[in-house]
Amino acid sequence: MTRSTRIDFIYLSEPDMVRAGVTDMPACVDTMEEMFKLLYHGDFRMAGENNNSHGSLVMFPEDSPHPTMPKPTPDRRFMAMPGYLGGTFGTAGVKWYGSNIANRERGLPRSILMFILTDTETGAPLALMSANLLSAYRTGAIPGVGARYLARKDSRVAGILGPGVMGKTSLSAFVTACPELDTVKVKGRGQKNIDLYIEWARRTYPQLKEIHAVTTEEEVVRDSDVVAYCSSGATGDPSTYPIVKREWISPGTFFAMPALGNFDDGVAGPDVRKVLDNTGLYEAWMTEISPPAHASNPLVGLKFMDLVAEGKLDKSELEDLGKIVAGEAPGRTSDEEIIMMSVGGMPVEDIAWATVVYRNAIDKGIGVSLNLWDKPIMS
């Protein structure tokens, strides 16, 4: 039987991605919830020896004899994030991640991302897509999945540190998971970004009764029901990372921490539940990063792991979100529980949401069809 060797795939620009539903946060939270169940049951693969690696990062030296080689300035990186996800997804893919904080001076996002989705049988491309919104929404959706299982159902007040893209998508996910939210506190570095954030929140979520700026991390945390730390900055010195102090926290608060974060000894204590979005991800990081890991990677989950390595925390005290979502471990057990969840970011999240958006695009005839070949010159 003769089979066609022709390979076509679609290109999805950022406007195409929007038309195909990439900004549909409720659907994204549902998709991430399904992904976590597959994660817990092992129906996935990522890079690294334990199949849980965040990705492969190109590092640059502090001093180079080559004048055109990039310098290791904050957020200066190139990274490939590959993976495979089973279940109803059944696809593989890789996100290419280029980042430079100086992009903002050019009017560009800090990170410029592309994603390629591939067929798992042949390895042929299915889609090449703009991935900034893909990545932003899947990242924000993880706090939403966490809040669905770990926040109080009557949560009303959200505290957001960082009025950027991640601060927006995290709030969108909180609103999805906690429909009674009516108050938002936001802290940022500049008044312009704070004003833009408040304007966006009022326009996007008119049901919110009060949205106002605060000036300290303490104000972000105090009297909040759900909190997200979403600010960016330089790594290397954890004492400069945004901090959470135990004395600021009200009973019942849920923290989602997808960016730089630190906490005091009180938060390290046993009365704060500590949840990882994927335990294997942090185990992979601990083999890839010279200790203490939190100095190189500012996620609170790496501080959890450092405390384990130092014998100050028992590893059994670290819980896995996938296990909770799969129903194999309890979610919130009381209105008084304080829970902090680290959000690390995984290629399988991109694959899950990219697959949904790709299928939407095919169903709606969105995107530009591109031809790889009719017949390969070499085979």
Short mmCIF file of all heavy atoms in Angstrom, two decimals, residues 9-18 20 22 91-96 112-118 125-135 349-362 366-368 370:
data_model
loop_
_atom_site.label_atom_id
_atom_site.label_comp_id
_atom_site.label_asym_id
_atom_site.label_seq_id
_atom_site.Cartn_x
_atom_site.Cartn_y
_atom_site.Cartn_z
N PHE A 9 1.91 21.25 8.26
CA PHE A 9 1.62 21.63 9.64
C PHE A 9 1.09 23.06 9.63
O PHE A 9 1.10 23.72 8.58
CB PHE A 9 2.87 21.50 10.53
CG PHE A 9 4.03 22.37 10.12
CD1 PHE A 9 4.29 23.57 10.78
CD2 PHE A 9 4.88 21.98 9.09
CE1 PHE A 9 5.37 24.36 10.41
CE2 PHE A 9 5.97 22.76 8.72
CZ PHE A 9 6.21 23.97 9.39
N ILE A 10 0.60 23.53 10.76
CA ILE A 10 0.05 24.88 10.79
C ILE A 10 0.93 25.80 11.63
O ILE A 10 1.56 25.37 12.60
CB ILE A 10 -1.40 24.93 11.30
CG1 ILE A 10 -1.53 24.43 12.74
CG2 ILE A 10 -2.32 24.18 10.36
CD1 ILE A 10 -2.91 24.69 13.33
N TYR A 11 0.97 27.04 11.20
CA TYR A 11 1.63 28.09 11.97
C TYR A 11 0.55 28.94 12.62
O TYR A 11 -0.40 29.38 11.96
CB TYR A 11 2.51 28.97 11.08
CG TYR A 11 2.94 30.25 11.78
CD1 TYR A 11 3.84 30.19 12.84
CD2 TYR A 11 2.43 31.48 11.40
CE1 TYR A 11 4.23 31.35 13.51
CE2 TYR A 11 2.81 32.63 12.06
CZ TYR A 11 3.70 32.56 13.12
OH TYR A 11 4.08 33.70 13.77
N LEU A 12 0.70 29.17 13.92
CA LEU A 12 -0.27 29.97 14.67
C LEU A 12 0.44 31.19 15.26
O LEU A 12 1.29 31.07 16.15
CB LEU A 12 -0.90 29.14 15.79
CG LEU A 12 -1.75 27.95 15.35
CD1 LEU A 12 -2.12 27.06 16.55
CD2 LEU A 12 -3.02 28.42 14.64
N SER A 13 0.10 32.36 14.73
CA SER A 13 0.63 33.61 15.26
C SER A 13 -0.04 33.91 16.60
O SER A 13 -0.99 33.23 17.00
CB SER A 13 0.36 34.76 14.28
OG SER A 13 -1.06 34.99 14.20
N GLU A 14 0.40 34.94 17.28
CA GLU A 14 -0.24 35.28 18.55
C GLU A 14 -1.73 35.63 18.36
O GLU A 14 -2.57 35.13 19.13
CB GLU A 14 0.50 36.42 19.24
CG GLU A 14 -0.06 36.72 20.63
CD GLU A 14 0.86 37.62 21.46
OE1 GLU A 14 0.75 38.85 21.30
OE2 GLU A 14 1.66 37.10 22.24
N PRO A 15 -2.11 36.43 17.34
CA PRO A 15 -3.55 36.64 17.13
C PRO A 15 -4.30 35.35 16.82
O PRO A 15 -5.45 35.18 17.26
CB PRO A 15 -3.59 37.62 15.94
CG PRO A 15 -2.29 38.36 16.01
CD PRO A 15 -1.30 37.33 16.48
N ASP A 16 -3.68 34.44 16.08
CA ASP A 16 -4.30 33.14 15.83
C ASP A 16 -4.52 32.38 17.13
O ASP A 16 -5.57 31.74 17.34
CB ASP A 16 -3.42 32.28 14.91
CG ASP A 16 -3.35 32.78 13.48
OD1 ASP A 16 -4.28 33.47 13.04
OD2 ASP A 16 -2.34 32.48 12.81
N MET A 17 -3.54 32.43 18.01
CA MET A 17 -3.64 31.73 19.29
C MET A 17 -4.81 32.27 20.12
O MET A 17 -5.55 31.51 20.75
CB MET A 17 -2.33 31.87 20.08
CG MET A 17 -1.14 31.18 19.44
SD MET A 17 -1.24 29.37 19.53
CE MET A 17 -0.81 29.09 21.26
N VAL A 18 -4.98 33.59 20.09
CA VAL A 18 -6.10 34.19 20.82
C VAL A 18 -7.43 33.70 20.23
O VAL A 18 -8.35 33.32 20.97
CB VAL A 18 -6.01 35.73 20.78
CG1 VAL A 18 -7.26 36.35 21.39
CG2 VAL A 18 -4.77 36.20 21.55
N ALA A 20 -7.97 30.99 18.80
CA ALA A 20 -8.12 29.56 19.09
C ALA A 20 -8.32 29.28 20.57
O ALA A 20 -8.44 28.12 20.96
CB ALA A 20 -6.90 28.80 18.58
N VAL A 22 -6.45 30.56 23.48
CA VAL A 22 -5.34 30.46 24.42
C VAL A 22 -5.57 31.26 25.70
O VAL A 22 -5.02 30.94 26.76
CB VAL A 22 -4.01 30.88 23.75
CG1 VAL A 22 -3.93 32.39 23.57
CG2 VAL A 22 -2.81 30.37 24.54
N THR A 91 0.56 13.74 22.76
CA THR A 91 1.41 14.56 21.91
C THR A 91 2.74 14.81 22.60
O THR A 91 2.89 14.62 23.81
CB THR A 91 0.75 15.91 21.58
OG1 THR A 91 0.27 16.51 22.80
CG2 THR A 91 -0.40 15.76 20.60
N ALA A 92 3.69 15.27 21.81
CA ALA A 92 4.99 15.68 22.33
C ALA A 92 5.27 17.09 21.83
O ALA A 92 4.59 17.59 20.93
CB ALA A 92 6.09 14.72 21.89
N GLY A 93 6.29 17.72 22.41
CA GLY A 93 6.60 19.06 21.95
C GLY A 93 7.77 19.66 22.70
O GLY A 93 8.28 19.09 23.66
N VAL A 94 8.16 20.83 22.26
CA VAL A 94 9.26 21.54 22.91
C VAL A 94 9.01 23.05 22.82
O VAL A 94 8.58 23.56 21.78
CB VAL A 94 10.62 21.18 22.29
CG1 VAL A 94 10.68 21.54 20.80
CG2 VAL A 94 11.77 21.85 23.05
N LYS A 95 9.24 23.72 23.92
CA LYS A 95 9.18 25.19 23.95
C LYS A 95 10.60 25.73 23.88
O LYS A 95 11.47 25.29 24.64
CB LYS A 95 8.47 25.68 25.21
CG LYS A 95 8.34 27.21 25.27
CD LYS A 95 7.41 27.66 26.38
CE LYS A 95 8.01 27.44 27.75
NZ LYS A 95 7.12 27.91 28.83
N TRP A 96 10.83 26.68 22.96
CA TRP A 96 12.12 27.36 22.89
C TRP A 96 11.96 28.72 23.56
O TRP A 96 11.08 29.49 23.23
CB TRP A 96 12.59 27.53 21.45
CG TRP A 96 13.88 28.29 21.35
CD1 TRP A 96 14.07 29.51 20.80
CD2 TRP A 96 15.16 27.85 21.82
NE1 TRP A 96 15.39 29.88 20.90
CE2 TRP A 96 16.08 28.88 21.52
CE3 TRP A 96 15.61 26.71 22.48
CZ2 TRP A 96 17.44 28.79 21.86
CZ3 TRP A 96 16.96 26.62 22.81
CH2 TRP A 96 17.86 27.64 22.50
N ILE A 112 10.69 35.82 24.88
CA ILE A 112 10.06 35.58 23.58
C ILE A 112 10.09 34.07 23.35
O ILE A 112 11.16 33.46 23.29
CB ILE A 112 10.77 36.34 22.45
CG1 ILE A 112 10.72 37.85 22.74
CG2 ILE A 112 10.15 36.02 21.10
CD1 ILE A 112 11.49 38.70 21.75
N LEU A 113 8.91 33.48 23.23
CA LEU A 113 8.77 32.03 23.27
C LEU A 113 8.10 31.49 22.00
O LEU A 113 7.18 32.12 21.46
CB LEU A 113 7.93 31.61 24.48
CG LEU A 113 8.30 32.27 25.83
CD1 LEU A 113 7.31 31.85 26.90
CD2 LEU A 113 9.71 31.88 26.23
N MET A 114 8.56 30.32 21.57
CA MET A 114 7.92 29.60 20.48
C MET A 114 7.72 28.15 20.93
O MET A 114 8.47 27.63 21.75
CB MET A 114 8.79 29.61 19.21
CG MET A 114 8.97 30.99 18.60
SD MET A 114 7.44 31.72 17.99
CE MET A 114 7.02 30.59 16.66
N PHE A 115 6.69 27.51 20.37
CA PHE A 115 6.42 26.12 20.73
C PHE A 115 6.17 25.31 19.47
O PHE A 115 5.48 25.77 18.55
CB PHE A 115 5.19 26.02 21.64
CG PHE A 115 4.98 24.65 22.21
CD1 PHE A 115 5.63 24.25 23.36
CD2 PHE A 115 4.15 23.72 21.58
CE1 PHE A 115 5.48 22.97 23.88
CE2 PHE A 115 3.99 22.45 22.08
CZ PHE A 115 4.65 22.07 23.25
N ILE A 116 6.74 24.11 19.42
CA ILE A 116 6.45 23.20 18.32
C ILE A 116 5.81 21.94 18.89
O ILE A 116 6.32 21.33 19.83
CB ILE A 116 7.73 22.86 17.50
CG1 ILE A 116 7.34 21.99 16.29
CG2 ILE A 116 8.81 22.21 18.34
CD1 ILE A 116 8.42 21.93 15.23
N LEU A 117 4.65 21.60 18.36
CA LEU A 117 3.88 20.43 18.77
C LEU A 117 4.07 19.35 17.72
O LEU A 117 3.98 19.63 16.52
CB LEU A 117 2.40 20.80 18.89
CG LEU A 117 1.45 19.73 19.45
CD1 LEU A 117 1.70 19.54 20.95
CD2 LEU A 117 -0.01 20.15 19.22
N THR A 118 4.33 18.13 18.17
CA THR A 118 4.66 17.07 17.22
C THR A 118 3.82 15.81 17.42
O THR A 118 3.34 15.54 18.52
CB THR A 118 6.15 16.68 17.32
OG1 THR A 118 6.43 16.18 18.62
CG2 THR A 118 7.04 17.86 17.03
N PRO A 125 5.99 17.53 12.64
CA PRO A 125 5.36 18.69 13.28
C PRO A 125 3.87 18.75 12.99
O PRO A 125 3.42 18.45 11.88
CB PRO A 125 6.09 19.87 12.65
CG PRO A 125 6.55 19.38 11.31
CD PRO A 125 6.88 17.93 11.53
N LEU A 126 3.12 19.10 14.03
CA LEU A 126 1.69 19.39 13.88
C LEU A 126 1.44 20.88 13.82
O LEU A 126 0.59 21.35 13.08
CB LEU A 126 0.91 18.79 15.06
CG LEU A 126 0.98 17.28 15.24
CD1 LEU A 126 0.32 16.87 16.55
CD2 LEU A 126 0.32 16.57 14.06
N ALA A 127 2.20 21.64 14.63
CA ALA A 127 2.00 23.08 14.70
C ALA A 127 3.26 23.76 15.21
O ALA A 127 3.98 23.22 16.05
CB ALA A 127 0.83 23.42 15.61
N LEU A 128 3.51 24.94 14.68
CA LEU A 128 4.50 25.86 15.21
C LEU A 128 3.71 27.07 15.68
O LEU A 128 2.95 27.66 14.90
CB LEU A 128 5.51 26.26 14.14
CG LEU A 128 6.52 27.34 14.54
CD1 LEU A 128 7.44 26.85 15.65
CD2 LEU A 128 7.34 27.79 13.32
N MET A 129 3.86 27.42 16.95
CA MET A 129 2.98 28.45 17.49
C MET A 129 3.71 29.47 18.36
O MET A 129 4.70 29.15 19.03
CB MET A 129 1.85 27.81 18.30
CG MET A 129 2.27 26.87 19.40
SD MET A 129 0.85 26.07 20.26
CE MET A 129 0.18 25.00 19.00
N SER A 130 3.20 30.69 18.31
CA SER A 130 3.61 31.71 19.25
C SER A 130 3.28 31.22 20.65
O SER A 130 2.18 30.73 20.89
CB SER A 130 2.87 33.02 18.95
OG SER A 130 3.07 33.96 19.98
N ALA A 131 4.21 31.38 21.60
CA ALA A 131 4.01 30.72 22.89
C ALA A 131 4.05 31.65 24.09
O ALA A 131 3.99 31.17 25.22
CB ALA A 131 5.03 29.61 23.07
N ASN A 132 4.12 32.96 23.89
CA ASN A 132 4.12 33.83 25.06
C ASN A 132 2.81 33.72 25.84
O ASN A 132 2.82 33.56 27.07
CB ASN A 132 4.37 35.28 24.64
CG ASN A 132 5.85 35.59 24.51
OD1 ASN A 132 6.56 34.89 23.79
ND2 ASN A 132 6.31 36.61 25.20
N LEU A 133 1.69 33.79 25.16
CA LEU A 133 0.40 33.67 25.84
C LEU A 133 0.17 32.23 26.30
O LEU A 133 -0.38 32.00 27.38
CB LEU A 133 -0.74 34.12 24.93
CG LEU A 133 -0.79 35.63 24.65
CD1 LEU A 133 -1.87 35.94 23.62
CD2 LEU A 133 -1.04 36.41 25.93
N LEU A 134 0.60 31.27 25.51
CA LEU A 134 0.50 29.87 25.90
C LEU A 134 1.18 29.65 27.24
O LEU A 134 0.60 29.08 28.17
CB LEU A 134 1.16 29.00 24.83
CG LEU A 134 1.20 27.49 25.12
CD1 LEU A 134 -0.10 26.84 24.70
CD2 LEU A 134 2.38 26.84 24.39
N SER A 135 2.40 30.14 27.35
CA SER A 135 3.17 29.96 28.58
C SER A 135 2.59 30.74 29.74
O SER A 135 2.50 30.25 30.87
CB SER A 135 4.63 30.38 28.33
OG SER A 135 5.45 30.06 29.43
N GLU A 349 2.99 21.09 30.86
CA GLU A 349 1.92 22.09 30.92
C GLU A 349 1.75 22.76 29.56
O GLU A 349 0.62 22.95 29.08
CB GLU A 349 2.23 23.12 32.00
CG GLU A 349 2.30 22.56 33.40
CD GLU A 349 2.97 23.48 34.39
OE1 GLU A 349 3.27 24.65 34.04
OE2 GLU A 349 3.20 23.05 35.53
N ASP A 350 2.88 23.12 28.94
CA ASP A 350 2.83 23.71 27.60
C ASP A 350 2.22 22.73 26.61
O ASP A 350 1.40 23.12 25.76
CB ASP A 350 4.25 24.08 27.13
CG ASP A 350 4.90 25.14 27.99
OD1 ASP A 350 4.37 26.25 28.07
OD2 ASP A 350 5.96 24.84 28.59
N ILE A 351 2.62 21.47 26.71
CA ILE A 351 2.11 20.47 25.77
C ILE A 351 0.60 20.32 25.92
O ILE A 351 -0.14 20.25 24.91
CB ILE A 351 2.83 19.13 25.99
CG1 ILE A 351 4.30 19.24 25.61
CG2 ILE A 351 2.16 18.01 25.17
CD1 ILE A 351 5.16 18.08 26.07
N ALA A 352 0.12 20.26 27.15
CA ALA A 352 -1.31 20.10 27.38
C ALA A 352 -2.11 21.24 26.77
O ALA A 352 -3.07 21.02 26.02
CB ALA A 352 -1.59 19.99 28.88
N TRP A 353 -1.71 22.47 27.10
CA TRP A 353 -2.48 23.62 26.62
C TRP A 353 -2.29 23.82 25.12
O TRP A 353 -3.22 24.18 24.40
CB TRP A 353 -2.12 24.86 27.41
CG TRP A 353 -3.07 26.02 27.27
CD1 TRP A 353 -2.74 27.33 27.14
CD2 TRP A 353 -4.51 26.00 27.28
NE1 TRP A 353 -3.86 28.13 27.06
CE2 TRP A 353 -4.96 27.33 27.14
CE3 TRP A 353 -5.45 24.97 27.39
CZ2 TRP A 353 -6.32 27.66 27.11
CZ3 TRP A 353 -6.81 25.30 27.36
CH2 TRP A 353 -7.23 26.62 27.22
N ALA A 354 -1.07 23.56 24.60
CA ALA A 354 -0.83 23.67 23.17
C ALA A 354 -1.69 22.68 22.39
O ALA A 354 -2.21 23.00 21.31
CB ALA A 354 0.65 23.43 22.86
N THR A 355 -1.86 21.48 22.93
CA THR A 355 -2.67 20.48 22.24
C THR A 355 -4.13 20.92 22.16
O THR A 355 -4.78 20.79 21.11
CB THR A 355 -2.56 19.12 22.97
OG1 THR A 355 -1.19 18.72 23.00
CG2 THR A 355 -3.38 18.05 22.26
N VAL A 356 -4.65 21.44 23.25
CA VAL A 356 -6.03 21.92 23.26
C VAL A 356 -6.21 23.07 22.26
O VAL A 356 -7.16 23.09 21.46
CB VAL A 356 -6.45 22.36 24.68
CG1 VAL A 356 -7.80 23.08 24.65
CG2 VAL A 356 -6.51 21.16 25.61
N VAL A 357 -5.29 24.03 22.29
CA VAL A 357 -5.39 25.18 21.40
C VAL A 357 -5.23 24.75 19.94
O VAL A 357 -5.95 25.22 19.05
CB VAL A 357 -4.34 26.25 21.79
CG1 VAL A 357 -4.31 27.39 20.77
CG2 VAL A 357 -4.63 26.81 23.18
N TYR A 358 -4.30 23.84 19.68
CA TYR A 358 -4.10 23.32 18.33
C TYR A 358 -5.37 22.65 17.80
O TYR A 358 -5.79 22.90 16.66
CB TYR A 358 -2.94 22.33 18.33
CG TYR A 358 -2.88 21.42 17.13
CD1 TYR A 358 -2.50 21.89 15.89
CD2 TYR A 358 -3.22 20.06 17.25
CE1 TYR A 358 -2.45 21.04 14.78
CE2 TYR A 358 -3.17 19.22 16.16
CZ TYR A 358 -2.79 19.71 14.92
OH TYR A 358 -2.75 18.88 13.83
N ARG A 359 -5.99 21.82 18.61
CA ARG A 359 -7.21 21.15 18.17
C ARG A 359 -8.35 22.14 17.95
O ARG A 359 -9.15 21.98 17.01
CB ARG A 359 -7.59 20.06 19.17
CG ARG A 359 -6.62 18.88 19.14
CD ARG A 359 -6.83 17.89 20.27
NE ARG A 359 -5.88 16.78 20.17
CZ ARG A 359 -5.65 15.89 21.14
NH1 ARG A 359 -6.32 15.97 22.28
NH2 ARG A 359 -4.76 14.93 20.97
N ASN A 360 -8.41 23.16 18.79
CA ASN A 360 -9.39 24.23 18.55
C ASN A 360 -9.14 24.91 17.20
O ASN A 360 -10.08 25.19 16.44
CB ASN A 360 -9.31 25.30 19.65
CG ASN A 360 -9.86 24.84 20.98
OD1 ASN A 360 -10.56 23.84 21.07
ND2 ASN A 360 -9.53 25.57 22.03
N ALA A 361 -7.86 25.17 16.92
CA ALA A 361 -7.51 25.84 15.66
C ALA A 361 -7.88 24.99 14.46
O ALA A 361 -8.41 25.50 13.45
CB ALA A 361 -6.01 26.17 15.65
N ILE A 362 -7.62 23.70 14.53
CA ILE A 362 -7.98 22.80 13.43
C ILE A 362 -9.49 22.79 13.23
O ILE A 362 -10.00 22.88 12.09
CB ILE A 362 -7.45 21.38 13.70
CG1 ILE A 362 -5.91 21.34 13.65
CG2 ILE A 362 -8.04 20.38 12.71
CD1 ILE A 362 -5.32 21.67 12.30
N ILE A 366 -8.30 27.82 11.81
CA ILE A 366 -7.42 28.95 12.16
C ILE A 366 -5.98 28.55 11.89
O ILE A 366 -5.56 27.42 12.13
CB ILE A 366 -7.60 29.33 13.64
CG1 ILE A 366 -9.03 29.82 13.89
CG2 ILE A 366 -6.59 30.39 14.07
CD1 ILE A 366 -9.36 29.96 15.37
N GLY A 367 -5.18 29.51 11.41
CA GLY A 367 -3.76 29.29 11.20
C GLY A 367 -3.39 29.21 9.74
O GLY A 367 -4.24 29.13 8.85
N VAL A 368 -2.09 29.24 9.50
CA VAL A 368 -1.54 29.19 8.14
C VAL A 368 -0.93 27.82 7.92
O VAL A 368 -0.07 27.37 8.69
CB VAL A 368 -0.47 30.28 7.94
CG1 VAL A 368 0.14 30.17 6.54
CG2 VAL A 368 -1.07 31.66 8.16
N LEU A 370 1.52 25.24 6.42
CA LEU A 370 2.87 25.24 5.86
C LEU A 370 3.24 23.83 5.46
O LEU A 370 2.80 22.85 6.07
CB LEU A 370 3.87 25.76 6.90
CG LEU A 370 3.65 27.18 7.43
CD1 LEU A 370 4.67 27.50 8.52
CD2 LEU A 370 3.74 28.21 6.31
#
